[in-house]
Amino acid sequence: MPSITPETEFYWLSGADGRLRIQQCRSCAALNHPPQPVCRYCRGDSMSAGVVSGFATLIGFTVNHRFAVPGLPAPYVVAQVALEEDSRVRLTTNAVECDPDDLELGQRMEVVFHQAGTVWIPLFRPARPGSPPAALPADPIEPSAIREHVRPMATREKFEDKVAITGIGRSRIGRRLMADPLALTLEACRAAVEDAGLRLEDIDGLCTYPGSGNLGPFTEGGVTAVESALGLHPTWHNGGAETFGPGGSVIAAMLAVAGGLARHVLCFRTVWESTYAELLRAGSIAPSGGITDPWLTPFGAISAAHLLAQTAQRHFHRYGTDRETLGWIALNQRANAALDPSAIYRDPLTMDDYLSARPVTTPFGLYDCDVPCDGAVAVVVSARETAADLAKPPVFVEAVGTQIIERLEWDQSTLTHEPQVLGQAAHLWTRTTLRPDDVDVAELYDGFTFNCLSWIEALGFCGIGEAKDFLRGGKNIARDGLLPLNTHGGQLSHGRTHGMGLIHEAVAQLRGQAGERQIPDARVAVVSSGGLTPSGVMLLRADR
C-alpha cells in the first residue's frame, strides 16, 4: 500500500467521503497527476485538491496471469482510465465488478473505493454496461508529429565525430550460472580491453548503468566495485539509471571522451537475474529492487509488462495490429539465435508455438518476453585519434538520439508506442544526413516484442501504424531482408543483457566478425537502448 504523505494524502483519503480528488492548479485550473509542487502546464506553484466526477474512459487493460501480488491473486485486471474532465489525466487502477471478456476500450467507467487500512484505493467499474464505447483520447503530441518538437542542433560541431568504439567483450552468458556478478563483470571488462589492444592501465574512465544501490540482480556494485577490484585510477567515472537507457553508459562515455576528460572509457553492464531468482527461492538472499512506484504498485502493476501490454493493446485497437504481428518478431529472433552458439534459446519456434504459449499478461505470452539470464557485456569508447593504432577496426559513431519529448511517467506517456522511443528516434535523424534506407542492420531493444515494433515504426523503417504489413511473414526483418533485425537473437532468445548485448552485436556486424549470422557488407547499424525510462539510440558505421 502507498505511504500517505502531506503531498498525497488528499488522493489516498478521497474515498472516505466517496469523492475522487485530483491535484488542481489555482492559477490555470489544470488538473495534474501525479501531484507535483508546480503545475506542469503554467508552472504556477499554488496547488489545491480539486473534486472530480469520478467518471472516466477505459483506455487500456491487461489481464495479469503471471505475477503474484500479496492480497491480489492472479488473474486480475490492471487498467488505465482517462478522466472525463481532462483526458490528459490517466490513472492506473484495477477494473473490478466485471468480466474481463466484457471490457472494451472506450468504455465509460466510474470510481469505486476500496478501503485498505487507512488508505482508500480508487478502483473503477463499468458505469453503463451495454453502452457503446467512445473513441480513445488522442495523445497530447501525435506520434507522427513528434519530429516537430525536436530541438535543433546546438552547434554544427558533433561530439560523435571525436569518438570511436574500439573494444567489445562479453562474459559467460547463461541460466543459473551461480557465479559472482562482479566476476562476470571482470570477465567482460578484461575481454573488451584486450579486444581493443589496450592494457587495463590505459583505461582512464569507467561508466556503467545502473550503478550501485539496492538493485538486486541488475548490478554488480557499479563503478566502485570494478575500480576496487581492478585497482584503476580513472580521471572520469559515471554510474546511474537516469541516463540514455540501459546502454546509456556508452553515450555518456562518448561525451566524456569528446570533452577531453578521458581517452579510453570502459563501459559495462551486468545482470544476474537467473542466479538471483534461484538464491531467492532457496532463501539465501532477501528480495530487493523492483518497481515501487506508489501510483502503480497498489494495483499490482509491478512489471513493465503491465504497462506495455496496455500500450500494445491500444496499438492493436488503433492500427489493426495483432498477436501474429508480434509473433513474427519472436520467430525472427529465435531463427537468428540458432546461429549464435552463445544464445540461451536456440531451438526452432513456430507461430503455433508462439500463439499457444502460456499467457503472461494479455496480450503478451511467454515468447513476447525476454529471457532473464546471467551475464556481462563491456564496451571501450576511445578518442578517435587513437583508434588507428589499436587492435581491431574501429566503429565510428554517426549520430545519437537522446531528447526527451514524451512524458516520462509510464502511465501518462504515449498511448500507442513504448514511451521514450518516438522522441529519441526523431532526434537521431536530425544529427545525420543518413536515412533509414541507409541502415544495413538494426539491433533494437526487445525486452518485449512490442518494444521492438515501437522502435521499427519510430525510426521510420515503416510508417506509424504500418508495422502489421511490414512484419507480415517476417521476410523484411530476416537476415536477407530489408532490415536484418537483432541478428544474434536479441533479448528474446539470446538473453536479457539489457541493451549492451545489442551494442556488442552491432559492433561485431560492422567489423564483419559475426560468423554464420554475418550480414554481408554491413556498414551502417542502428542500435537502441531501452524505452519507458529515458532511452537512447545510436547510429554506428564501419570504416571498411
Side-chain angles (χ1 to χ4, degrees):
M1 290 298 101
S3 299
I4 299 177
T5 68
E7 294 75 27
T8 63
E9 65 178 352
F10 75 88
Y11 185 84
W12 297 115
L13 301 183
S14 285
D17 65 1
R19 305 173 77 191
L20 183 62
R21 290 170 175 83
I22 301 293
Q23 188 185 60
Q24 188 167 29
C25 175
R26 288 193 175 100
S27 299
C28 71
L31 299 174
N32 284 254
H33 184 78
Q36 302 285 356
V38 299
C39 175
R40 180 177 181 87
Y41 303 103
C42 75
R43 300 193 174 95
D45 57 7
S46 180
M47 312 300 285
S48 64
V51 175
V52 294
S53 66
F55 288 102
T57 302
L58 182 65
I59 62 169
F61 66 92
T62 181
V63 182
N64 169 74
H65 293 274
R66 166 67 178 85
F67 301 93
V69 179
L72 194 59
Y76 58 85
V77 180
V78 180
Q80 292 175 0
V81 298
L83 294 190
E84 286 190 348
E85 287 83 356
D86 186 344
S87 63
R88 296 176 299 183
V89 176
R90 305 171 192 163
L91 307 180
T92 290
T93 184
N94 297 124
V96 296
E97 301 181 24
C98 60
D99 184 332
D101 290 339
D102 295 333
L103 290 173
E104 292 183 81
L105 295 186
Q107 257 182 294
R108 195 179 196 222
M109 307 289 282
E110 63 181 357
V111 71
V112 54
F113 291 96
H114 169 72
Q115 187 176 7
T118 58
V119 175
W120 293 80
I121 305 295
L123 310 176
F124 280 78
R125 65 187 178 194
R128 293 182 301 183
S131 60
L136 294 187
D139 274 311
I141 304 175
E142 271 293 301
S144 58
I146 286 280
R147 65 176 67 90
E148 299 170 14
H149 297 264
V150 176
R151 295 177 183 273
M153 288 178 60
T155 172
R156 290 182 179 273
E157 185 179 39
K158 289 170 54 182
F159 77 87
E160 294 99 324
D161 294 337
K162 300 179 181 180
V163 303
I165 295 176
T166 57
I168 52 174
R170 193 167 59 194
S171 74
R172 296 162 285 163
I173 291 179
R175 301 273 285 172
R176 292 177 288 278
L177 295 178
M178 308 309 289
D180 179 349
L182 181 57
L184 295 176
T185 305
L186 300 180
E187 279 183 38
C189 288
R190 285 171 163 159
V193 172
E194 181 180 352
D195 183 66
L198 296 168
R199 302 171 304 148
L200 283 170
E201 289 75 15
D202 297 319
I203 299 300
D204 53 3
L206 290 173
C207 197
T208 188
Y209 170 103
S212 59
N214 186 30
L215 297 165
F218 299 106
T219 180
E220 68 294 281
V223 166
T224 303
V226 171
E227 195 284 330
S228 178
L230 293 177
L232 304 177
H233 303 285
T235 58
W236 177 85
H237 58 87
N238 182 59
E242 291 188 320
T243 186
F244 317 110
S249 61
V250 177
I251 298 178
M254 293 173 189
L255 290 164
V257 169
L261 282 166
R263 287 173 69 78
H264 302 290
V265 178
L266 178 60
C267 308
F268 53 93
R269 175 82 183 94
T270 304
V271 291
W272 52 292
E273 289 180 273
S274 193
T275 289
Y276 174 87
E278 189 69 17
L279 294 174
L280 204 60
R281 278 191 290 270
S284 303
I285 57 173
S288 62
I291 295 175
T292 56
D293 188 319
W295 307 103
L296 303 178
T297 50
F299 310 99
I302 60 170
S303 167
H306 292 129
L307 283 299
L308 279 176
Q310 295 179 78
T311 309
Q313 181 197 41
R314 288 187 288 264
H315 198 283
F316 288 11
H317 178 80
R318 182 167 181 179
Y319 300 118
T321 321
D322 55 24
R323 287 207 65 216
E324 281 201 13
T325 306
L326 301 181
W328 292 117
I329 295 173
L331 268 59
N332 176 78
Q333 263 72 316
R334 182 61 63 87
N336 291 341
L339 299 179
D340 189 337
S342 67
I344 292 175
Y345 288 131
R346 304 177 64 200
D347 293 338
L349 182 68
T350 68
M351 186 61 77
D352 284 343
D353 294 333
Y354 167 82
L355 293 173
S356 62
R358 64 178 172 85
V360 173
T361 188
T362 57
F364 294 160
L366 179 65
Y367 298 116
D368 289 294
C369 308
D370 58 10
V371 182
C373 66
D374 305 330
V377 180
V379 174
V380 177
V381 176
S382 300
R384 182 169 178 148
E385 65 268 18
T386 70
D389 299 327
L390 299 183
K392 297 289 174 63
V395 168
F396 297 119
V397 185
E398 176 66 22
V400 304
T402 56
Q403 186 180 345
I404 296 172
I405 296 176
E406 308 148 86
R407 284 192 65 166
L408 284 169
E409 301 95 336
W410 287 8
D411 57 351
Q412 307 298 313
S413 196
T414 303
L415 284 169
T416 54
H417 292 76
E418 181 187 10
Q420 306 312 312
V421 164
L422 295 168
Q424 286 80 355
H427 184 218
L428 175 79
W429 297 118
T430 67
R431 297 184 63 81
T432 176
T433 58
L434 297 181
R435 287 296 170 258
D437 286 349
D438 296 310
V439 172
D440 299 309
V441 62
E443 311 294 344
L444 303 181
Y445 197 83
D446 60 344
F448 300 92
T449 49
F450 186 72
N451 301 57
C452 213
L453 181 151
S454 294
W455 280 110
I456 287 170
E457 290 192 352
L459 287 164
F461 295 116
C462 66
I464 296 294
E466 295 177 1
K468 183 175 184 178
D469 292 333
F470 183 79
L471 292 169
R472 184 178 289 118
K475 293 181 179 179
N476 284 334
I477 57 174
R479 290 186 305 279
D480 58 353
L482 293 174
L483 184 70
L485 177 68
N486 292 9
T487 46
H488 67 318
Q491 301 190 140
L492 296 173
S493 285
H494 187 273
R496 183 197 292 168
T497 47
H498 253 192
M500 286 286 274
L502 298 167
I503 298 172
H504 186 286
E505 176 67 9
V507 172
Q509 287 285 344
L510 294 179
R511 286 177 171 179
Q513 298 173 341
E516 283 188 83
R517 64 187 188 278
Q518 178 66 48
I519 305 305
D521 197 32
R523 299 185 61 83
V524 177
V526 65
V527 54
S528 66
S529 178
L532 288 179
T533 56
S535 77
V537 56
M538 295 179 282
L539 197 62
L540 307 178
R541 57 182 175 81
D543 191 30
R544 293 192 285 116

